[in-house]
Amino acid sequence: MSDDIFDAIIVGGGLAGGTAAYVLAQAGCDVLVIERGNFAGSKNMTGGRLYAHSLEKIIPNFAEEAPVERLVTREKISMLTETDGVTLDYQHTQQEEEAARSYTVLRSSFDQWLMEKAENAGAQVITGVRVDEVLVKEGKVCGVKAGDDEIEAHVVILADGVNSLLAKQLGMTQKVNPHTVAVGVKELLEFTPQQMADRFGCTNDEGLAWLFAGAPSGGYLGGGFLYTNKNTVSLGLVLGLHNVDKFEKTVPQLLEDFKQHPVVAPLIKDGKLLEYSAHMVPEGGMNMVSELVKDGVLVAGDAAGFCLNVGYTVRGMDLAIASGEAAAKAVLMAKEQNSYSQKELSCYQSLLNDSFVMKDMKLYKDLPNFLDNTRFFKDYPQMVANVMHDLFVINGPEKPVRKKILSQVKKVGVMNLIKDGFKGVRSL
């Protein structure tokens, strides 16, 4: 191998890849990013929420220059039956410090901004190019092959998304199966500034994050989401792939039904459809985390399975950023030793273990199995809706509140409620 090689080649220009490129370039490394899309973020459908803490540590006050959409100051969680909805509504009453904030983002613009930061720091970026395979010589990864070109590097960082074919080539990741991924579908709907204010309470640069459980996912694992951007709303569903064959309706029809739900329909009336997209989402938690290190290669972001759905929050972006930073730091440590073997690069695993990434992944390792319970998406939303109906509808002599609640609980089963509550406490 010649001396004229890159310190690192990063496959994928998402948040993990962009962060790794930025940190390495800032340290003076010779870095190449290869992105299959026409620009960083062009293939990413996520219209969601970025928890700021991980990027804030790398680029302090990043939101002052980054193309964030809105500061999330209001949280809503709704349980929906086919006709009713019960909503928990929480509004922040004070401004959090920068690291504790979260923002809605559109990845097509946000990822471009981050990659521009990496380029300005010295990283080289190639877009519109697909990496066909990883180069391996004498058991060590030493570069990539794209078309007829072979490009060498001391280390390759794989940040190429949930279905990483390159990690599969190296035997570093489990075969994606329906129990570890979900299908996400999303629409981007445009509204006037007045509609954004009237319907979603969006004032100044503040916005809303809203999750829906129950009927939107056909009564199975999954749910709906609504995130407010500057002049648009990201609306969609995430559905456990292993239940798709059980749905009575197609995924597009489930999305259409969600849009027509009595709680949702008035909110999105007359919204102009700008974009429709669908993508696989990692949902297996620790059960999906890949082998992260081999000689000359690291895996980060969605490709490593770093995503958390804990019901009331859905996270992936902050984990991707932190894993990209850890991968970059591992490369820098290996460079100091002038050795890029698995032994030297294994500090990547240590960095992740010491960070919130693996701590949170391990904390919620039992949650995916716990949430895969149809009672959470059929029986309990109906129970809560029935309780609220009995509390607020007056028609004749009143019953004690205790009896109103117990009569609905019995329909689900007291023992089921106790059993699920006990399992919930253990998994959390």
Side-chain angles (χ1 to χ4, degrees):
M1 185 178 290
S2 69
D3 293 331
D4 186 22
I5 65 175
F6 289 96
D7 290 313
I9 291 175
I10 301 167
V11 184
L15 293 181
T19 300
Y22 176 78
V23 173
L24 286 169
Q26 284 280 92
C29 291
D30 197 7
V31 185
L32 174 65
V33 180
I34 304 177
E35 163 58 37
R36 188 177 66 179
N38 293 328
F39 57 86
S42 63
K43 300 187 292 77
N44 198 303
M45 66 155 282
T46 305
R49 180 178 191 170
L50 169 64
Y51 291 93
H53 64 121
S54 54
L55 190 56
E56 191 67 34
K57 295 173 184 176
I58 303 167
I59 308 175
N61 302 312
F62 74 89
E64 294 179 4
E65 58 172 297
V68 297
E69 295 293 312
R70 290 185 178 275
L71 172 68
V72 177
T73 59
R74 194 173 183 186
E75 321 272 356
K76 286 191 174 187
I77 300 176
S78 290
M79 288 179 285
L80 303 183
T81 67
E82 294 295 332
T83 57
D84 300 340
V86 179
T87 300
L88 175 67
D89 189 339
Y90 169 64
Q91 187 156 352
H92 302 215
T93 58
Q94 60 185 17
Q95 289 287 339
E96 304 283 358
E97 61 179 61
E98 284 80 359
R101 295 178 182 179
S102 65
Y103 302 91
T104 56
V105 297
L106 294 173
R107 293 287 297 279
S108 60
S109 58
F110 192 86
D111 288 18
Q112 284 187 81
W113 167 81
L114 182 58
M115 195 56 68
E116 286 173 4
K117 295 286 289 185
E119 285 189 277
N120 292 338
Q124 299 181 53
V125 181
I126 300 175
T127 58
V129 173
R130 186 183 72 182
V131 174
D132 298 306
E133 60 181 285
V134 177
L135 297 178
V136 181
K137 294 181 181 178
E138 298 179 355
K140 178 186 180 299
V141 172
C142 57
V144 300
K145 183 176 181 179
D148 295 328
D149 296 323
E150 293 187 356
I151 312 171
E152 295 183 326
H154 292 301
V155 180
V156 173
I157 298 175
L158 301 180
D160 50 338
V162 58
N163 191 25
S164 176
L165 299 178
L166 300 177
K168 287 180 183 177
Q169 175 195 331
L170 297 171
M172 296 181 71
T173 184
Q174 303 174 33
K175 183 178 180 180
V176 171
N177 68 74
H179 288 275
T180 57
V181 296
V183 58
V185 289
K186 186 201 78 175
E187 290 186 355
L188 191 66
L189 304 170
E190 184 179 40
F191 297 93
T192 66
Q194 191 62 50
Q195 287 173 327
M196 293 295 294
D198 293 344
R199 299 183 186 187
F200 308 106
C202 293
T203 57
N204 301 319
D205 293 325
E206 297 179 351
L208 165 71
W210 197 342
L211 300 180
F212 303 83
S217 59
Y220 293 96
L221 178 65
F225 60 84
L226 185 157
Y227 297 106
T228 57
N229 308 309
K230 287 180 179 177
N231 296 306
T232 61
V233 163
S234 298
L235 181 80
L237 299 175
V238 178
L239 307 166
L241 198 59
H242 63 294
N243 287 319
V244 168
D245 62 338
K246 302 174 187 175
F247 294 145
E248 297 177 359
K249 303 174 182 177
T250 64
V251 173
Q253 186 59 53
L254 285 171
L255 178 59
E256 192 61 32
D257 288 352
F258 177 45
K259 291 167 58 181
Q260 297 302 319
H261 192 279
V263 172
V264 179
L267 298 172
I268 62 171
K269 183 182 178 182
D270 299 326
K272 180 182 178 182
L273 178 62
L274 300 182
E275 176 185 298
Y276 175 90
S277 54
H279 200 269
M280 282 198 302
V281 182
E283 286 257 309
M286 280 298 295
N287 292 327
M288 196 179 178
V289 174
S290 67
E291 184 179 358
L292 301 174
V293 185
K294 276 191 173 181
D295 286 346
V297 64
L298 304 170
V299 187
D302 279 3
F306 293 142
C307 188
L308 277 174
N309 179 356
V310 300
Y312 58 90
T313 60
V314 180
R315 294 166 52 193
M317 288 185 263
D318 62 325
L319 300 167
I321 290 167
S323 65
E325 180 191 24
K329 287 182 175 180
V331 173
L332 293 174
M333 293 179 187
K335 186 177 182 181
E336 289 181 359
Q337 301 296 320
N338 196 30
S339 174
Y340 301 89
S341 68
Q342 182 173 355
K343 179 181 178 181
E344 273 68 39
L345 290 173
S346 64
C347 59
Y348 174 50
Q349 182 74 65
S350 299
L351 289 167
L352 290 173
N353 289 341
D354 291 338
S355 75
F356 73 90
V357 176
M358 294 307 293
K359 290 178 181 177
D360 288 0
M361 293 293 291
K362 290 176 181 177
L363 175 64
Y364 295 115
K365 63 182 176 62
D366 296 326
L367 203 56
N369 287 333
F370 168 70
L371 290 176
D372 194 12
N373 179 342
T374 57
R375 283 193 291 271
F376 292 124
F377 304 97
K378 289 182 179 179
D379 298 342
Y380 293 141
Q382 188 66 61
M383 180 190 77
V384 173
N386 289 345
V387 168
M388 300 305 286
H389 176 274
D390 289 352
L391 288 176
F392 292 109
V393 173
I394 307 299
N395 183 13
E398 279 281 272
K399 295 179 181 178
V401 171
R402 179 187 72 258
K403 289 187 176 181
K404 291 182 178 182
I405 295 174
L406 283 177
S407 67
Q408 299 301 334
V409 169
K410 287 178 180 178
K411 292 180 181 179
V412 175
V414 176
M415 288 308 299
N416 284 334
L417 195 63
I418 293 173
K419 181 170 61 176
D420 291 339
F422 180 71
K423 288 182 178 179
V425 170
R426 291 185 63 185
S427 63
L428 291 170

